[in-house]
Amino acid sequence: MAAVRGTAPEPEPALFRAKLANVRPMVNMLKTISFRPRARCVINPDGLVFTVEESQCLVAQAYLRAELFTTFSYDVQLAEYYRNQEQAGFEAEDSQDGEPSDVTQVVLPLDNLIECLTLFYGPSGTSSSGAQSGAHSTATLHTSGNPGDLRGATTAVIAFNGPGTDFELLLEERGTISLCRLSTFVPEPSVDLKFSHYPTTQQLIIKSEWLRDAFNELDPTSESVSIYIASSEPHFRISTIGESGSTDMTYSNTERILDSFFCNEDQENQYKLSLILKCKQALAMSDKTKIRINQRGFLSFQFMIPTAADVSFVNFVFAPLVSADESIADATARV
Amino acid sequence: MEAEVPAASLKTFYRALQCLGSIGEDIWIEARTDHLELIGKNASQSAYARIVFPAEFFDAYDSGESDNAVFRCRVQAKQLVGIFRSRTQAVEQCVLSIEQAAEPVHINSSATQGECRLVVRLAYKQRVCRTHRLFYEACETFHSTYDRRDCKGRWRVAAAHAASWVAHFARGSEEMTLQMTSSVVRVRSWTAGNVAQPDATRALHTELSVDPADFDMYHVPHPVELALALREFRAVLRYAERMAAPLSAFFDRPGWPLLLEVAAPPNPDARDHRQAPPTAEFVLATVADETTPAPSSNNATPASRAPTQILAVPDSIEPGSAPSPDASPYAHSRSSFAQWSPDNRSDSLLATPASARRANTATADSIAGSLPNSLGGPASQPVPESRVPTARAYRLLDMPRPYAPPGLTDTQLSDEHAAADELRNAPPGMVQTTLPFPTTAAQRPQGDMPVANADYSSDEELDATPPPPSKRMRALF
């Protein structure tokens, strides 16, 4: 751990460096996918993508575009240089096939990352600026809350210097500076559910508010949730079958609820309820959700989350449940 | 059966379901041609609730059966309540219906055929629709046989006022007593605590007095004291408060159940549920007294200890036990001392009648035909309930000293007035006790170690010579 210095360290040439005026949007985005301990972070010239995957059936990605950061510098040549070095040193593994060599991939401990970013948050988890939590936080120098939007904003400088080095976070709030270093891990072969490899047969955009209600109604004792989209009434139906009976929510293709609707083929697919419920946090923060189902039955939720006067996206892809009497071969033959 | 609840009355319907859900685990539904009944009872069968929705309450109501047949079923309360709990403001239409298999389901048949579901369909604005299909079980329902016309005492009070009685009861309170006389009503909370723990005596109890003038109608011909479980009473009060309807009570004597009714008068001018509001009746069992006969006279038992059967099912024969004379040597001198038993100390704030505790444990499950197990309960010895509740003195009772052997700390004397005087004149912290036998102070030789006896009333005791130093030193090692 580097010592905490009184002044910020001098900028050094680094592979990747970004400055963030307020960590809150980033923290919010990361929290939506924080159900796994580790996340893969892909750095490319356009921004950062954090990916988590669960039991090879769920892949969640949070996109943080470069515009979200105050400064964003990514040295593409240095990345290529490091990549070539890496591949020269070891046997080139095919696991990175198709990946462009100008992106940097690193696996970070996600919950540690969030914990560091929220270092200056009060014990209640909110920013430590509020008058009620200002007294508790030992990191703040002032006890009175600052008015306005900039109250207690933690600024951060994120830096990463290539595979094998630590991921550095330099956080500052009201004069207190903290430098955090997170160990990084070599990325494993990624699980890609290959959603876009098959044509999308159904797509709709729905206001997240209705979806939130639907998720609250889903019977938690049920194993699976079934999503049925059809071109005739009812257009969109979510149903569960649980211990006490069945519940379903149906939506019609009206303008107020479904912003857009496209259905090539009537399909009903089942998904594991416990996995679907993992996107509750993202749903809670989002305004709109785009639901897409491809020909293989894979489901994609794309949540549009307002961040700092702009929007960011979090993407969840789910693999469908294959029913017991239908073998996997049949399911793939459905393609 | 098909019933359409008007959107404006959804909250009322939800409150009724919530009340039944807080009383018991299941809700019984009985659909008759002119009204819909929701019935609930609690696990120990000591509370019964029935809420009747007249046909005019609904936008559309069809019981679906002929006049002779009545549709009866039972559903899980939690599921039904949960359906209506979430936001109901945007609901445009709510329809409850029964989906049955092709063949009619006979209650007497052993197996139900096909998919039978209670379907609750909520239609929201913009053609969003939520449908719940709940399993139900066709079964018999039950009704209370108690009639309020048999009750001699009655009163009616505004719900908010009644709710304020129990609002401040401590959270651990499990029982309450209502002592009603012609001049005052006293409401008191009790904890049926574990007496073995000395900490239990530190529980907070609350007692408050209500003026009968606050009641809309108050008619209590003779003083009566009823002890009942607080939980169900609270559920009733909550319902009455939410419905903003007056609460009427009908009662007779301890042991007879307390009948409560919550019914707002119909308001024909209103356009919502107030036009035909639901009527709710509740029957709460009260703790019986030894001296009062059981209300169901076909039982030949002289004493009914457990809360009386309130349901119209055949009563079990409870082996009665006449109050047996207490075996304590002091019985003849002080009758109240006879109640010194681990679970029934009269000088303890926990001294609810032991039958109250038995009330909580007695299942009285006569439907299964099993004998009540109340006799094997905490009352290991038959405790005479000679203490008529009306004679129970409401005063701050002395806390029993932990190391005093039983029999010496009882403060109820044959000469109650003398004791009362002593109590009043005693300085705080000093407990006054007069023993029936000569005090040991005069008899004890000097220089004795002060034994842990209860009689500290005389100052000589305090000036008694301390134990010799040698004895004291020995105690340190």
Side-chain angles (χ1 to χ4, degrees), chain B residues 250-445:
Chain B
F250 305 91
F251 49 90
D252 194 33
R253 67 194 85 165
W256 281 70
L258 171 68
L259 277 68
L260 295 163
E261 276 189 23
V262 178
N267 184 357
D269 301 328
R271 265 183 286 117
D272 60 356
H273 69 272
R274 284 172 296 188
Q275 205 172 16
T279 55
E281 65 177 36
F282 304 89
V283 181
L284 302 181
T286 62
V287 174
D289 212 37
E290 284 276 315
T291 55
T292 61
S296 45
S297 52
N298 38 349
N299 239 1
T301 57
S304 88
R305 279 99 139 298
T308 54
Q309 288 284 357
I310 56 174
L311 307 173
V313 288
D315 297 309
S316 70
I317 305 298
E318 293 184 11
S321 68
S324 63
D326 192 276
S328 161
Y330 302 104
H332 52 272
S333 57
R334 287 180 286 128
S335 59
S336 52
F337 172 66
Q339 292 151 44
W340 181 269
S341 69
D343 55 350
N344 193 12
R345 289 192 300 211
S346 57
D347 60 347
S348 158
L349 285 178
L350 307 173
T352 54
S355 51
R357 200 164 304 104
R358 285 198 293 274
N360 294 334
T361 57
T363 57
D365 191 4
S366 66
I367 297 178
S370 59
L371 284 178
N373 58 6
S374 56
L375 298 178
S380 47
Q381 55 180 354
V383 177
E385 294 291 335
S386 52
R387 176 164 40 96
V388 180
T390 50
R392 185 193 297 169
Y394 282 103
R395 57 188 164 84
L396 280 178
L397 299 168
D398 307 312
M399 306 299 251
R401 250 93 38 89
Y403 36 79
L408 298 181
T409 55
D410 199 319
T411 57
Q412 285 180 332
L413 312 164
S414 49
D415 184 6
E416 287 222 315
H417 297 297
D421 281 341
E422 275 197 44
L423 275 172
R424 254 181 265 120
N425 299 335
M430 286 271 269
V431 178
Q432 315 294 307
T433 316
T434 310
L435 303 169
F437 41 85
T439 64
T440 54
Q443 297 171 2
R444 204 187 317 119

Side-chain angles (χ1 to χ4, degrees), chain A residues 208-282:
Chain A
S208 296
E209 196 187 334
W210 291 103
L211 210 55
R212 272 196 285 268
D213 284 344
F215 274 40
N216 286 337
E217 289 306 315
L218 297 181
D219 194 349
T221 63
S222 154
E223 265 254 345
S224 71
V225 58
S226 146
I227 295 188
Y228 171 69
I229 303 184
S231 41
S232 54
E233 290 277 341
H235 291 107
F236 175 42
R237 184 176 73 211
I238 303 178
S239 48
T240 53
I241 299 183
E243 278 173 15
S244 57
S246 70
T247 305
D248 49 56
M249 311 264 315
T250 56
Y251 301 89
S252 299
N253 188 7
T254 52
E255 227 174 60
R256 304 266 198 91
I257 315 291
L258 303 181
D259 283 359
S260 92
F261 185 84
F262 162 74
C263 180
N264 219 1
E265 173 185 323
D266 296 358
Q267 251 189 55
E268 173 157 26
N269 293 293
Q270 324 258 348
Y271 304 94
K272 196 146 187 271
L273 183 60
S274 53
L275 293 182
I276 296 273
L277 289 178
K278 299 240 191 240
C279 62
K280 256 192 157 166
Q281 177 82 352

Side-chain angles (χ1 to χ4, degrees), chain A residues 16 18 20 22-33 40-51 61-69 72 108 110 113 117 158 167 305 307 311-315:
Chain A
F16 162 67
L20 203 53
N22 189 351
V23 296
R24 191 188 287 279
M26 183 168 174
V27 169
N28 287 346
M29 296 287 284
L30 290 177
K31 277 189 171 166
T32 61
I33 58 170
R40 171 201 292 264
C41 174
V42 176
I43 311 173
N44 59 30
D46 297 326
L48 300 175
V49 182
F50 286 87
T51 312
Q61 289 176 316
Y63 294 85
L64 296 160
R65 288 171 302 118
E67 287 80 21
L68 212 57
F69 298 86
F72 189 95
L108 299 171
L110 186 58
L113 175 61
L117 287 172
I158 305 172
F167 196 86
I305 298 179
T307 46
V311 287
S312 301
F313 292 94
V314 178
N315 201 10

